[in-house]
Amino acid sequence: MLELKKVIRENIICPYGLHDMNTTRFEVCNKDILMRLQSGMYKISDPVKQVDGYVKFCNVDFDFCFVTIMNELVNEGPITGEKMSFLNFVDRYRNFSFEIIDEVYGYNKTKFWGWLSAGGDLKECIIEFYHFGDMIFVDETSE
C-alpha cells in the first residue's frame, strides 16, 4: 500500500493577543503601520496579563491593504457596505474606535474582524494588512 506524505501546518501562537482590544489610531510611517491600542494587549505567556503597547507592521504593501465596512450588523443574509483602500480609510476616519473580535494570521497577511465605532454608528468591519516584514508587538510595560 502506498504511504501518503502528510504535512502538518502548526497553529500560529502569537505572544500577545488583541481580542477585545480597541484600536484608536493608525499611524503610517513610510512603509510601516503603527496600530495604537487604547488599553494595550494581552500577554499570553505566564503570567498572563494586560500590558501597555502597540503593534507595528513592517514593509507594508499598501496596494493590498483594505478595509471593508458593512452597513448592517447581521449574522446571516444579504449585506451592503463599502470596501476601500487602507490609506483611504486612514484619511477618512480620524476619530474612531475599532474593537478587535477576531485575529487571523497567514502568509504575509494579517486580518482583523470586529466592530467599528465612528460618528455614533457601530458597524461590522474587516481590516487587512499585507506586509512583507515582521509584525512586531511592542510591550511598553516596564517590569
Side-chain angles (χ1 to χ4, degrees):
M1 172 153 227
L2 180 64
E3 180 81 21
L4 298 178
K5 181 179 179 182
K6 296 178 184 177
V7 177
I8 298 171
R9 182 196 62 85
E10 295 183 22
N11 283 331
I12 297 172
I13 305 297
C14 290
Y16 293 88
L18 302 176
H19 178 73
D20 285 341
M21 296 292 97
N22 283 315
T23 301
T24 56
R25 188 170 80 244
F26 291 106
E27 298 170 18
V28 176
C29 307
N30 297 317
K31 296 198 83 165
D32 298 339
I33 296 172
L34 301 181
M35 185 170 77
R36 299 294 182 173
L37 302 159
Q38 180 181 31
S39 302
M41 50 202 174
Y42 290 108
K43 181 176 156 280
I44 303 300
S45 60
D46 284 332
V48 175
K49 63 181 178 177
Q50 192 168 334
V51 297
D52 293 328
Y54 63 92
V55 180
K56 180 178 182 180
F57 298 90
C58 301
N59 197 13
V60 173
D61 187 341
F62 289 101
D63 289 337
F64 299 98
C65 296
F66 299 99
V67 177
T68 305
I69 302 172
M70 278 64 87
N71 292 332
E72 302 86 10
L73 298 175
V74 297
N75 288 330
E76 294 182 13
I79 59 171
T80 61
E82 179 180 9
K83 184 174 184 176
M84 65 189 81
S85 74
F86 173 76
L87 294 175
N88 187 13
F89 173 82
V90 169
D91 286 340
R92 197 161 139 195
Y93 289 86
R94 301 214 182 261
N95 188 18
F96 72 93
S97 175
F98 175 65
E99 181 182 355
I100 298 170
I101 303 298
D102 194 20
E103 319 161 53
V104 179
Y105 305 105
Y107 181 74
N108 291 347
K109 187 168 238 180
T110 301
K111 190 179 287 192
F112 300 110
W113 172 88
W115 307 118
L116 177 69
S117 176
D121 293 330
L122 182 65
K123 297 184 177 190
E124 187 173 343
C125 181
I126 300 168
I127 298 176
E128 49 190 302
F129 300 124
Y130 193 84
H131 50 100
F132 292 104
D134 292 331
M135 176 183 179
I136 303 170
F137 295 90
V138 180
D139 185 340
E140 298 177 309
T141 305
S142 60
E143 302 214 13

